[in-house]
Amino acid sequence: MKQTHEKPAAAKKAVTKKAVTKAVTKKAVTKKAATAETGGKKTVAKKAAAKKAVAKKAVTAKGAATKNAAATKKTAATAKEAPAAKKATSQKTAAKKKAPAARKPESRAAMVRRARRINRELAELYPYAHPELDFTNPFELLVATVLSAQTTDLRVNQTTPRLFAVCPTPEDMAAMDPERLEELIRPTGFFRAKTRSLLGLSAALRDRFGGEVPGRMEDLVTLPGVGRKTANVVLGNAFGVPGITVDTHFGRLARRFGWTTQEDADKIEAEVAALFPKSEWTMLSHRLIFHGRRVCHSRKPACGACAIAPLCPAYGEGETDPEKAKKLLKYELGGQPGQRLKPPAGYPGQPAPPMAAP
């Protein structure tokens, strides 16, 4: 009976042991599966990291290549621009050499010395300077000067031969039919106003001065259409009386040279006259007007071809490159005809052509 009771207990114990073993086995399997899963995840993460590193390396390599290409391109561009930069530097250096040094505030005495030196330099440059209107007597010069307002001396010189062929004296001109006179001087522009001035001054010369042009400033400025500028032209070139002719060229250069800051012609005349001996006034006028027409132009002065650039405070307002500036020169300096159909002896340029037939 004792054996019968022990057998079921042993069987029960075996079953329990088997269950425990099974549980342990199951736990081990679960642990193994968990370990495998963790390992799989680590492997995936590792692979992702490796892939990311490869991509990063590729981006870095691409960036380096781009950077190297840009550097190479920049080097090539620099090499290409080097000659142009060198040329620009050379031109700049040449301009600096020719440009006048920066000046301190100029004393009155220093300004007078510089002004007179400019006059001497211009005298050497234009030893043939002269009035650029064709004339043979004071009356022709007076008429031509009145006609020269708001037009070129060339246009006046092309117009006056026909005019003086018809009315060579004040008496002849005073008797002219206004419409006929207008037609003769039409090419000079503003012909109606100029006709009134010519008829008025001719009648005044006939009636008040015996048909002769007076040789005094106070008499000349009483004539219709005659101001100080015209009077100075006539006095200086027909009578040998020194005078300063302030036209647009003279005024512009006087300001650029620092001789005056005035805009009014009478004030410019007074200030410039104080810088020079009276004996120089007439020729000074011709020299400045010559230089203004040929070199020191209003819009684009030829600074690089100017003989007095080292003395000029306005150097650099125009073209400073010598070759480019040379192309801006006019009349005889530029190889072109002058303004007079009959230039005086010693003029190095070519005579101007007459007006084309209508």
Side-chain angles (χ1 to χ4, degrees), residues 215-281:
R216 300 192 314 161
M217 172 67 75
E218 51 269 37
D219 293 329
L220 284 169
V221 294
T222 65
L223 300 173
V226 178
R228 287 191 63 86
K229 170 194 162 186
T230 299
N232 276 324
V233 171
V234 174
L235 291 173
N237 297 286
F239 294 98
V241 177
I244 290 178
T245 303
V246 182
D247 69 351
T248 55
H249 302 291
F250 189 102
R252 179 175 71 253
L253 268 64
R255 286 187 292 273
R256 283 180 176 169
F257 292 160
W259 298 352
T260 182
T261 59
Q262 301 294 336
E263 295 287 342
D264 179 75
D266 290 349
K267 292 179 180 178
I268 293 171
E269 180 186 344
E271 291 192 4
V272 174
L275 302 176
F276 299 92
K278 194 172 182 178
S279 59
E280 287 291 312
W281 290 355

Side-chain angles (χ1 to χ4, degrees), residues 4-336:
T4 306
H5 287 292
E6 288 178 355
K7 192 172 182 180
K12 189 176 180 180
K13 189 176 182 180
V15 169
T16 303
K17 187 177 181 181
K18 187 176 181 181
V20 170
T21 302
K22 191 175 180 181
V24 170
T25 303
K26 187 176 180 181
K27 188 176 181 180
V29 169
T30 304
K31 186 176 182 181
K32 187 176 181 181
T35 303
E37 185 178 356
T38 303
K41 285 182 179 179
K42 284 183 179 179
T43 302
V44 171
K46 192 173 182 181
K47 284 183 179 180
K51 190 173 181 182
K52 189 174 181 181
V54 171
K56 186 176 181 180
K57 190 174 182 181
V59 170
T60 303
K62 187 176 179 182
T66 304
K67 191 174 181 180
N68 289 339
T72 303
K73 188 174 181 182
K74 186 176 180 180
T75 303
T78 303
K80 188 175 180 182
E81 291 172 1
K86 188 175 180 182
K87 184 178 180 182
T89 303
S90 177
Q91 289 177 350
K92 192 174 181 181
T93 302
K96 280 184 179 178
K97 285 182 180 179
K98 188 155 189 177
R103 294 186 178 89
K104 296 178 181 179
E106 198 173 35
S107 67
R108 173 71 180 179
M111 197 257 278
V112 171
R113 286 194 298 271
R114 183 172 59 83
R116 294 185 180 187
R117 186 178 170 191
I118 288 175
N119 184 38
R120 291 194 298 272
E121 295 280 348
L122 291 176
E124 291 183 13
L125 183 61
Y126 306 110
Y128 50 86
H130 57 268
E132 294 190 273
L133 291 168
D134 286 327
F135 69 97
T136 61
N137 57 58
F139 176 66
E140 289 185 358
L141 179 57
L142 177 60
V143 170
T145 306
V146 170
L147 291 177
S148 68
Q150 306 297 319
T151 190
T152 63
D153 287 356
L154 172 59
R155 180 59 69 185
V156 174
N157 292 335
Q158 291 174 327
T159 302
T160 51
R162 285 199 307 155
L163 175 64
F164 294 141
V166 175
C167 45
T169 68
E171 292 83 1
D172 295 325
M173 188 168 288
M176 281 285 293
D177 175 67
E179 291 185 2
R180 172 64 174 148
L181 186 55
E182 285 180 2
E183 193 59 32
L184 286 170
I185 67 171
R186 182 184 291 269
T188 66
F190 299 94
F191 55 91
R192 291 190 178 88
K194 290 178 181 179
T195 293
R196 289 193 294 272
S197 294
L198 293 183
L199 290 174
L201 73 84
S202 297
L205 291 177
R206 178 194 63 197
D207 300 338
R208 292 164 44 204
F209 298 101
E212 299 292 332
V213 176
R216 300 192 314 161
M217 172 67 75
E218 51 269 37
D219 293 329
L220 284 169
V221 294
T222 65
L223 300 173
V226 178
R228 287 191 63 86
K229 170 194 162 186
T230 299
N232 276 324
V233 171
V234 174
L235 291 173
N237 297 286
F239 294 98
V241 177
I244 290 178
T245 303
V246 182
D247 69 351
T248 55
H249 302 291
F250 189 102
R252 179 175 71 253
L253 268 64
R255 286 187 292 273
R256 283 180 176 169
F257 292 160
W259 298 352
T260 182
T261 59
Q262 301 294 336
E263 295 287 342
D264 179 75
D266 290 349
K267 292 179 180 178
I268 293 171
E269 180 186 344
E271 291 192 4
V272 174
L275 302 176
F276 299 92
K278 194 172 182 178
S279 59
E280 287 291 312
W281 290 355
T282 299
M283 287 309 300
L284 172 70
S285 301
H286 294 324
R287 291 164 192 154
L288 257 67
I289 293 170
F290 256 61
H291 196 61
R293 286 174 172 167
R294 288 151 178 77
V295 180
C296 196
H297 309 133
S298 176
R299 294 184 180 178
K300 198 171 184 181
C303 294
C306 180
I308 58 171
L311 299 170
C312 181
Y315 175 85
E317 285 189 13
E319 180 59 65
T320 57
D321 180 81
E323 293 303 316
K324 292 180 180 178
K326 197 178 293 184
K327 295 178 183 178
L328 299 174
L329 301 179
K330 295 183 179 179
Y331 302 111
E332 74 282 355
L333 295 187
Q336 304 154 5

